[in-house]
Amino acid sequence: MVARRVWRRLLGHPTGALGGLVLGLFVLGSLGAPWLSAHSPVTTDFNSLLRPPSLTHPFGTDELGRDVLARVLYGGRVSLTVGVASVALALLVGGLWGLAAGYFRGWLDSVLMRLVDALLAFPFLVLAITLAAILGPGLSNSILAITVVTSPAVARLVRGQVLAEVGKDYVAAAEAIGAPHSRILFRHILPNLWGPLIVQGSLATANAILAEATLSFLGLGVQPPTPAWGSMLNAARGYLDSAPWLAVFPGLAIFLVVLSFNLLGDALRDALDPRTERKLA
């Protein structure tokens, strides 16, 4: 019943529904890239260099004759994979981090939260770039770097939620009957945190995709010839006057996906908030 009510609220949220629709189209486009484009994203064609958009190449071709549409579609796989994987890992690591700090408190809370404060003192992108430079370029290293810089914010959110829950009667009752700490944490407290975690995850995914595009733009993400939206923008810098489509389409893809996640996150926040009294048609 609760899930159905949340789903109805989400569908009744116009911007959230729009964000979900656009995001769904990008996911389907990335998964269906082999069928949506007849061209390879990495095969060069020196007879088709810098062709403008046409029926054969709807998004044009790049400086090596590669189809831009195919590269945008396949590049979506990289961005969505890095975004979803890094945020999922951050929710796991940061969630356990915050659960431990908020529930056990004391010296453990002080140590863990001071580490969070130290990591949050660095700007998000600066820390991600630094870690990626240390780890080296590549898909897995990009995921790891973004996971590290995303986890502290998750830990702080979870700790705050846990501190609000531990003083409630159901936790005191579980402690009174001798329930182990693991049962109290994962069977009683954690289910009450899913709403904030889902909202945080959707918003953090938008930041993770921006971070991945930045790393790829700087050459610290996936390496050529694998297509990535950031590396496509980097390659397009020298052709902004003669071939603007090289920058327009990957830039538009980044903009729409990040906007969609943000709109969806706002809608999830409203849908999961029990105080929301949205009128549904």
Side-chain angles (χ1 to χ4, degrees), residues 6 10 28 39 43 57 67 80 132-133 135 183 204 206 212 229 235 270:
V6 170
L10 188 59
L28 291 176
H39 303 279
T43 301
H57 301 284
D67 184 69
L80 292 172
L135 295 171
R183 183 179 181 86
E212 185 280 325
W229 293 338
D270 292 342

Side-chain angles (χ1 to χ4, degrees), residues 1 16 18 20 46 51 57 62 65 67 95 99 113 138 156 174 177-178 188 194 200 208 216:
M1 179 64 71
L18 176 62
F46 294 105
R51 295 286 179 87
H57 301 284
D62 65 7
D67 184 69
L99 281 172
M113 286 302 102
R156 174 171 284 183
I177 63 175
H188 298 292
W194 282 121
Q200 177 72 14
S216 296

Side-chain angles (χ1 to χ4, degrees), residues 39-40 43-69 71 239 242-243 245-246:
H39 303 279
S40 167
T43 301
T44 59
D45 182 2
F46 294 105
N47 293 319
S48 302
L49 303 181
L50 297 176
R51 295 286 179 87
S54 63
L55 292 178
T56 305
H57 301 284
F59 287 4
T61 62
D62 65 7
E63 72 281 4
L64 296 178
R66 297 171 297 192
D67 184 69
V68 175
L69 172 60
R71 291 181 63 77
Y239 304 94
S242 58
W245 60 86
L246 297 183

Side-chain angles (χ1 to χ4, degrees), residues 79-95:
S79 292
L80 292 172
T81 297
V82 172
V84 172
S86 61
V87 169
L89 289 173
L91 289 176
L92 175 62
V93 174

Side-chain angles (χ1 to χ4, degrees), residues 74-167:
Y74 281 92
R77 294 184 175 186
V78 173
S79 292
L80 292 172
T81 297
V82 172
V84 172
S86 61
V87 169
L89 289 173
L91 289 176
L92 175 62
V93 174
L96 294 175
W97 193 342
L99 281 172
Y103 182 76
F104 294 106
R105 287 166 286 183
W107 66 268
L108 182 62
D109 180 28
S110 297
V111 171
L112 292 178
M113 286 302 102
R114 296 300 75 74
L115 181 57
V116 166
D117 292 339
L119 290 173
L120 290 178
F122 294 93
F124 181 87
L125 284 177
V126 171
L127 184 56
I129 292 170
T130 302
L131 290 174
I134 294 172
L135 295 171
L139 180 66
S140 59
N141 287 341
S142 296
I143 292 174
L144 180 57
I146 296 172
T147 297
V148 171
V149 299
T150 304
S151 297
V154 176
R156 174 171 284 183
L157 170 68
V158 172
R159 174 185 177 270
Q161 295 294 320
V162 171
L163 288 175
E165 296 293 324
V166 292

